[in-house]
Amino acid sequence: MKIPLAWLEQECGGPVDRAALLDHLHESGARAGLHADHVVEVLPPPELAHLGSVRGLAAEVRARNAAGPTAPQRSAPPGSASPRSAPLPGGLALTAEDGLPARVAAAVVRLPGEVRLPGAAADRLRAAGVPLTGTVADLAAYVGIETGQPLGAADAGGLDVTGLRLHSAGPADPAGPAGPADPAGPPRGGLLLRAGERTVAFLGRDTPAEPVPADGRDTLVWAWWLDPAAAHPAPGTGPGPDPDGPPAVRGHDPRSCDRAVARLVALVTDWAGGTVTAAGGAGADAPAPRVLRPDPGELRRLVDPDLDLVTLAALLTAGGALVAPPEQGRPLHVTVPAARPDLDGVPALAGEAGRVRGYPTLPRRLPPSAAGPWPDRARLLRRGLTTAALRRGLQQVTTPVLLRSGEPLGAVGTPPEAEPVTVHGRAGLRAMRVRGSLLPGLLVVAGRALRRAGAAHVFEVGQVPRSAALGDESWRFAAVLAGAVAPPSLVEPRPRTAGFADLNGLLRTAAAAAGHEAFELTPEPHAEFAAGASFTVRVRGTAVGRAGILAEETAALADAAGERVCCAELDLDLLGGPAPVPPTVRVPEPLPPPAFNVTVVVPEAVSAGEVLRVVARAGGTEDRRVAVKDLLQGGQVPTGHLSLTVRAEFLRTDDGPLREERRRRREAVLRALADRGWSGR
């Protein structure tokens, strides 16, 4: 696609560095070159199809210059010129063979007279080197450069527009019109757009729109999309693409051609005063949007640790994703349109947020330490809860993930609004349901333990799905206390059974393991608990689970009729976790440098500073490393003299034994003292 630099500079709001632009395109894997210093030709790879449109390329340039987002963003697919483009109208009977990896959108328009583009639009086309014809070809060229989606146009007078169809050329079917470079026509098996018995276009070739005179006659306009996998087959599956040929991929998703034709239809009515007779599309359809639930903390770490959730959601929304209002402590709910197949995980979403914000605005940080990953708070929380429950005497169990549809305890602990997940498999696993809570399996285990041992103190840490979406799961901690807690004694002839106080003590221990002072128990009714003993567990006002005593009818379903069964379940994703404490490293004290001592007897008239200088020079050390440690006067010292004990530290310069070096330096000092007439030992 040839993009005029004048268009690009107008979209970017300033001049564009040609050399930097070409370097960026080459680094991205696109083929690019300048023509006459005013047009850049870009042949992007399929995964970077947005670089083939002036709006998509301008968004990348602005991101590198930190100029802020543009409207529309790269989120608007390359086949979309404006987010306000009206949907493609209907009425055109266009059919396609089943299973074709392509799509075609077409419309029949009628122009009453010569097309006169607005002054700014006409100047843009002249800057691009496009001759103005006053026909629909001008509008097609404008939309093609703006969106990166080429459009074709032909006189509909000799075409059967009621029989438009997209199909693969067979042996007895003419493959398509021949060209000067290919007199034999396109190869067999290509995808053709036919109107009755005539071939209108061959998918994979971009032919300029025919300048149909604007005299009230009907004109057929079209755009196409081809699957990148079909355009560029994998090695060994067929002939590879021609590296010097035109690109055979347009847009990110099949609906890109529909949006390009819709944009052209809008310009026909707005700029040319024409009408649209009919429009339609056929072929591959766009896949359903994907739903991602990234961790906002991980996204902020990759983009900017100081970024707040509202700004992060706004950046992703400007990038084209639909983000639900963020909630503190919950994963983001991001709906990615089919036009953005590159947004497939946390790194891609972080890159998109950085692109919209502007790459130079991202803080520069050092790479992560090579000492290993930082401890995971979620893993620390699961480990802490497991250790706390085991120390209180509970037994850890693992219950089945699948439950039979007729399981009487299947709905216990599952929120009423939770989406049921049904498993369809082989005969032995049909009519199975994925558990919506950990309590059903724990209650089955507790019922068996009560029948056999008279006590049940069990817990489980596992995952529970939130919905049928793959990977949408949350970690839970659930515990069941029932039966005897303490054996009989002289004071209590009967064994003490578990009560709500035991469950409350377990919750306090769990709160300490999670890094909280205590849980708040708010009385609220839950279907599986007794009316007077049903609570919602909260942390700073946020509900993180439920706790209570099992209702009699629910206890009967668990084969624990007449027993007091205490249950609790916590959502660990809402609970958070203790902050990882870095290990304390004690830095050892540095070893003192080696030293030697010498005692000097000098007259009282000699200053101590002079003695220290002599010792430093002779001992080969620095003045600051020599000091007086002791001073004697009188006694064994002659009258009128002083005895100074000097300690001289030094830095080693010899790899030999330290004792030898210390002796050698001390002897050099004693010789220097003797030369001055001072006695030393």
Side-chain angles (χ1 to χ4, degrees), residues 291-300 309 312-313 316 322-335 346 349 378 464 466 471-475 571-576:
V291 177
L292 303 178
R293 288 181 172 84
D295 182 12
E298 182 68 12
L299 277 176
R300 293 166 56 187
L309 289 181
L312 179 62
L316 294 177
L322 181 61
V323 183
E327 298 180 11
Q328 196 69 29
R330 296 293 299 270
L332 290 177
H333 191 282
V334 182
T335 303
V346 171
L349 291 175
V464 172
R466 295 191 187 95
D472 184 19
E473 298 177 326
S474 65
W475 282 92
D571 191 332
L572 303 189
D573 292 344
L574 301 178
L575 191 57

Side-chain angles (χ1 to χ4, degrees), residues 526-538:
H526 295 285
E528 61 272 12
F529 295 148
S534 178
F535 301 88
T536 295
V537 184
R538 299 181 183 274

Side-chain angles (χ1 to χ4, degrees), residues 402-406 422-433:
L402 297 180
L403 305 173
R404 297 193 178 276
S405 58
T422 305
V423 177
H424 304 281
R426 52 200 179 112
L429 294 178
R430 286 180 181 173
M432 301 291 286
R433 295 278 297 279

Side-chain angles (χ1 to χ4, degrees), residues 87-98:
L88 192 64
L92 186 63
L94 200 155
T95 60
E97 291 183 6
D98 295 336

Side-chain angles (χ1 to χ4, degrees), residues 43 72-73 198 294 313 342 411 436 560:
L43 298 179
Q73 287 292 325
R198 293 184 56 182
D342 55 316

